Amino acid sequence: MPAALDAVRLDKWLWAARFFKTRSLAAEAIAGGKVHINNHRAKPGKEIKPGVAISISHNGYKWDITVVTVIGQRCAAKEAVLLYEETPESHEKRQQQILQQRENREFFDLDNDHKPNKKDRRLIHRFKQQDF
C-alpha cells in the first residue's frame, strides 16, 4: 500500500479508492453534485483529510463513508476498501437495492437477447408503417 499523506485532492482520492475508473470521471461527478463533503457540495480540488464524511451517488447507488486514510496513488481493490469506513445504514440500503435489482432482473428476464433477423426487421417495419 502506498504511503499515507496528510491531505489530497478529492478527485484523486475517489480515483485511488476505486469509486471511479478515472480522475476525470471523478471530477465530473463532483462538479455535477454527486459528491458531498460534510453535507456540502465540493469542488474536485478540495483537499480532504482523514475523518471527513463523504456522500457519493454513483450508478444509482449511494455511499455514506468516512475517510480513514488519505493516499494519492491507486491501489489494489482489497487495499482500497481499507481507505474508508462505510456507515452500516448505507451498506444495508445498498445491499437491499442490489437484491431488488436481481429480483427484478429475474422477473423481467425475457428471451429476447438477440439481434432481430431479416424476418423480424420486416415485421418491425410493417408495424411502424401501419396507419392507426
Side-chain angles (χ1 to χ4, degrees), residues 114-125:
H114 68 281
K115 184 176 175 181
N117 58 21
K118 191 171 185 176
K119 183 179 177 184
D120 293 337
R121 283 194 304 272
R122 285 182 184 154
L123 291 172
I124 291 168
H125 289 298

Side-chain angles (χ1 to χ4, degrees), residues 9-29:
R9 289 174 56 105
L10 177 60
D11 60 345
K12 195 170 189 178
W13 186 86
L14 289 172
W15 165 76
R18 294 186 170 262
F19 283 101
F20 297 95
K21 285 187 177 184
T22 64
R23 278 183 64 186
S24 62
L25 288 175
E28 286 177 19

Side-chain angles (χ1 to χ4, degrees), residues 3-4 9 22 33-35 46-47 50 61 67 71-72 92 95 100 109 112-113 127:
R9 289 174 56 105
T22 64
K34 305 290 185 190
V35 179
K46 173 77 174 167
E47 296 276 324
Y61 299 110
V67 177
I71 63 168
E92 182 65 32
Q95 293 303 321
Q100 183 68 31
D109 189 24
N112 293 338
D113 293 336
F127 178 76

Side-chain angles (χ1 to χ4, degrees), residues 30-91:
I30 296 165
K34 305 290 185 190
V35 179
H36 291 79
I37 297 177
N38 295 329
N39 296 324
H40 298 290
R41 282 186 71 162
K43 292 185 177 181
K46 173 77 174 167
E47 296 276 324
I48 62 165
K49 297 179 180 181
V52 173
I54 301 177
S55 297
I56 305 165
S57 297
H58 182 55
N59 290 337
Y61 299 110
K62 184 171 169 118
W63 288 267
D64 292 322
I65 61 171
T66 303
V67 177
V68 175
T69 307
V70 178
I71 63 168
Q73 266 185 314
R74 197 166 171 102
C75 57
K78 290 181 181 179
E79 295 173 0
V81 175
L82 303 175
L83 299 178
Y84 59 90
E85 289 180 353
E86 185 176 8
T87 61
E89 298 85 21
S90 170
H91 181 73

Side-chain angles (χ1 to χ4, degrees), residues 40 104 107:
H40 298 290
N104 289 344
F107 183 70

Side-chain angles (χ1 to χ4, degrees), residues 99-109:
L99 286 173
Q100 183 68 31
Q101 287 178 348
R102 282 185 189 154
E103 291 173 3
N104 289 344
R105 194 177 315 127
E106 290 173 3
F107 183 70
F108 290 110
D109 189 24

